[in-house]
Amino acid sequence: MNTVLIIGAKSDIATALAHAYAKNHSNLMLAARKVETLQNVARDLHIRYRVEVTLHELDITDTISHRTFYESLTPKPQGVIIASGYMCEQKIAQQSLEKTLETINVNFTGAVSLLNTIANDFEARQSGFIVGISSVAGDRGRATNYIYGAAKAGFSTYLSGLRNRLYESNVHVMSVKPGFVHTKMTAKMTLPAILTADPHEVAEDILNAQQRGVNVLYSKWIWRYIMGIITCIPESLFKKMHL
Ligand SMILES: NC(=O)c1ccc[n+]([C@@H]2O[C@H](COP(=O)([O-])OP(=O)(O)OC[C@H]3O[C@@H](n4cnc5c(N)ncnc54)[C@H](OP(=O)(O)O)[C@@H]3O)[C@@H](O)[C@H]2O)c1
C-alpha cells in the first residue's frame, strides 16, 4: 500500500485530499503545526477507510528542521503533497514587512526547502510523486494580490524546474493551480459561485490528475482558459485595469 505525506494537513483542501487518498487505499502521513489537534481526524480516516494514519509536527517556515523531519519518517512516503499556504490581505501585506515575509516563507521558501530534501530522496529511489499546490494568482501579478501572487509564481517556477529535473528519474511532479476555492483562506471574500470550487472537487481533480500524470492542473478547469486570456492582455492595458 502506498503512503502519501500531506504537508499543511489542516488546510481544508488537504483534509479533502486525505479523504480522497485514503478512500483510494493510501496510508497517510499528516504533517501540520499543532498536529495533535488532528487526532480525531486521523482516527476517523483510519476507521472509515482502514488505512494507517500517522501525525507529524511541522512548521513549513522552520527550514532548519526540514532534514530531521524527513529523516524521522518511517517508512518513506511514495508521494508528497504540499498544501500549506498563507494569504494576507494585499493592503496589509504591502504595509508590513513581517506579513510580506510570512507570505514568501510559507508559500515559497519553506516549500522549496522541504521539497529539496524530498526530491533528492525520490531521485535516489527513482520513484515517487510530488504535488505542489500553487495558485492562479502566480500566473500574473495583479494590484490586489501581487505579494501572495509573487510567492506562488516562484513556487510554480520551482515546480516546473523540478519536474524537468526529475523526469528522467521516474519522479512525477504536478503543479496545481486552483482558482477560487471555498476554504478558511477565502472565508471573508465574496466569490463568484460559478468560478468557485469546493475543497472535495479540487481534491478529486488532484487525485485523478496525479494518477494520469498531468503536469499542470487548473481546478476548476475553466481557470486554464481564464488565465490564458488574462496573461495575453497587453501590459499597457493591464496596468489600467486594477484587477
Ligand atoms: N482557497 C483558495 O481559493 C485557494 C486558491 C488557490 C490556491 N490555494 C492554495 O491551496 C492551498 C490550501 O489552502 P486552503 O484553501 O485549503 O486554505 P486553508 O484551509 O487556510 O489552509 C492553509 C493551511 O496552511 C497551513 N499553514 C500556514 N502556515 C503554515 C506553516 N508555517 N506551517 C505549516 N502549515 C502552515 C495552515 O495551518 P494552520 O491551520 O496551522 O494555520 C492551514 O491549515 C494553499 O497553498 C493555498 O495557497 C487556495
Side-chain angles (χ1 to χ4, degrees), residues 29-173:
M29 292 172 159
L30 303 181
R33 299 185 289 190
K34 296 193 182 135
V35 76
E36 68 280 0
T37 58
L38 287 179
Q39 273 170 5
N40 286 344
V41 172
R43 211 168 294 124
D44 177 50
L45 287 163
H46 172 66
I47 293 167
R48 216 183 265 251
Y49 305 110
R50 295 166 193 248
V51 296
E52 297 305 318
V53 184
T54 54
L55 301 180
H56 307 267
E57 185 68 26
L58 179 77
D59 183 331
I60 194 81
T61 63
D62 184 16
T63 53
I64 302 284
S65 72
H66 287 175
R67 190 180 292 269
T68 317
F69 162 80
Y70 190 66
E71 282 170 358
S72 75
L73 301 180
T74 321
K76 292 291 178 263
Q78 280 71 43
V80 57
I81 303 174
I82 306 281
S84 41
Y86 174 70
M87 184 174 70
C88 175
E89 217 180 290
Q90 170 66 32
K91 283 197 173 137
I92 296 172
Q94 70 198 27
Q95 299 297 335
S96 159
L97 179 60
E98 193 190 332
K99 293 290 182 191
T100 294
L101 291 180
E102 188 174 357
T103 306
I104 294 168
N105 289 339
V106 174
N107 295 296
F108 181 67
T109 318
V112 167
S113 161
L114 185 62
L115 283 182
N116 277 352
T117 295
I118 295 175
N120 291 344
D121 179 50
F122 282 14
E123 185 177 45
R125 287 157 55 197
Q126 298 272 297
S127 71
F129 71 82
I130 293 170
V131 173
I133 307 188
S134 185
S135 172
V136 295
D139 282 7
R140 190 158 193 183
R142 292 180 298 112
T144 52
N145 204 14
Y146 66 85
I147 291 176
Y148 171 79
K152 288 297 195 185
F155 189 41
S156 294
T157 302
Y158 174 84
L159 291 167
S160 168
L162 194 62
R163 175 162 48 249
N164 219 244
R165 168 188 154 198
L166 296 179
Y167 171 67
E168 286 180 357
S169 303
N170 193 35
V171 178
H172 178 238
V173 179

Side-chain angles (χ1 to χ4, degrees), residues 166-222:
L166 296 179
Y167 171 67
E168 286 180 357
S169 303
N170 193 35
V171 178
H172 178 238
V173 179
M174 183 167 86
S175 318
V176 182
K177 298 183 178 184
F180 299 131
V181 190
H182 286 299
T183 68
K184 293 191 288 290
M185 188 175 276
T186 54
K188 291 184 185 156
M189 295 165 67
T190 309
L191 302 174
I194 198 158
L195 298 178
T196 307
D198 285 325
H200 74 267
E201 283 179 74
V202 177
E204 288 300 327
D205 280 355
I206 290 174
L207 175 62
N208 291 334
Q210 179 261 311
Q211 290 184 326
R212 286 186 289 117
V214 168
N215 295 314
V216 180
L217 170 72
Y218 284 82
S219 182
K220 300 178 169 218
W221 60 267
I222 196 169

